[in-house]
Amino acid sequence: SVIDGSYNANPSSVKAGIDMLLECGGNASNAPRRHAMLGDMLELGEHTVAIREHVRVLRVCVELVEQGRLESLGLVGEIFLQALEFLKRELSANAGVLGSIEWAST
């Protein structure tokens, strides 16, 4: 299954989409593989606010990858790239999962 919440995405709608993804069925013998691909949320207004919100969403997703609840995380766009670089600097001593995140330019 694919969940596409890309139209007018904002932090609340991204969280709702991720929550829905985490609730997708499966059982112990047929566990679903969960991958998230997130693109820049371009309608957040001022650049500083946008970066802060992207970092907040990225932190949640990184925790889910670390917990094994998301198998992988991919990012698209310049704002998510800046958020990823910010988190890498902030968590430099503990950046294990951040190195495995895929990023693509738009």
Side-chain angles (χ1 to χ4, degrees):
S1 297
V2 174
I3 300 168
D4 181 0
S6 57
Y7 184 75
N8 287 337
N10 61 62
S12 297
S13 67
V14 170
K15 176 157 183 357
I18 290 171
D19 288 345
M20 184 186 309
L21 176 64
L22 295 175
E23 292 173 10
C24 285
N27 55 45
S29 64
N30 185 23
R33 296 175 61 182
R34 295 178 177 103
H35 306 274
M37 177 62 74
L38 304 178
D40 285 349
M41 299 173 283
L42 299 176
E43 298 183 9
L44 294 179
E46 182 185 331
H47 186 71
T48 311
V49 171
I51 291 286
R52 184 173 59 239
E53 293 301 319
H54 282 72
V55 167
R56 190 167 64 98
V57 166
L58 188 52
R59 272 194 186 105
V60 169
C61 292
V62 166
E63 286 179 20
L64 293 170
V65 172
E66 289 174 336
Q67 295 166 0
R69 297 179 68 200
L70 277 179
E71 192 165 325
S72 67
L73 175 62
L75 304 172
V76 177
E78 296 296 322
I79 302 173
F80 262 124
L81 174 62
Q82 292 173 29
L84 179 61
E85 294 302 322
F86 175 85
L87 267 186
K88 283 181 177 179
R89 285 190 304 273
E90 183 180 272
L91 304 173
S92 61
N94 187 18
V97 129
L98 292 175
S100 67
I101 295 173
E102 296 292 328
W103 174 80
S105 68
T106 53

